[in-house]
Amino acid sequence: VIDHGSRMLGIAAASACAVVAPERIVIGSIFVRSRDLLLESMTNTLQKEALAPSLQAVQILPAILGENLGDYAALSLAADNH
């Protein structure tokens, strides 16, 4: 399950690189909690799937907000709708 999830993160990151060529991809929630379990397989998949120029330009980073990311997102949405 962990290997499959990390491969899917790698595929999603590679897709993002192909579509928008980001400088950084910030992943929160489960990546923050389980980075040591996910990073190697995700990185291997990203290297296989992404185009070389995109891969050289992107950094994969854990969200600074860590476990609180969802709370801040919900508060932001509530503030926008109020």
Side-chain angles (χ1 to χ4, degrees):
V1 172
I2 292 172
D3 190 53
H4 178 73
S6 61
R7 284 194 321 264
M8 293 298 107
L9 278 172
I11 290 170
S15 296
C17 287
V19 174
V20 294
E23 292 179 12
R24 293 178 186 93
I25 297 176
V26 179
I27 306 174
S29 188
I30 195 162
F31 187 70
V32 172
R33 289 189 297 266
S34 305
R35 184 177 181 184
D36 56 330
L37 298 173
L38 301 170
L39 188 60
E40 184 178 352
S41 181
M42 182 193 76
T43 302
N44 290 340
T45 302
L46 177 60
Q47 290 172 344
K48 289 177 190 171
E49 300 292 332
L51 298 172
S54 301
L55 187 58
Q56 293 171 355
V58 72
Q59 293 178 309
I60 306 295
L61 304 168
I64 293 173
L65 297 176
E67 293 292 327
N68 298 326
L69 180 64
D71 299 337
Y72 286 106
L75 288 171
S76 175
L77 183 62
D80 267 357
N81 290 326
H82 194 299

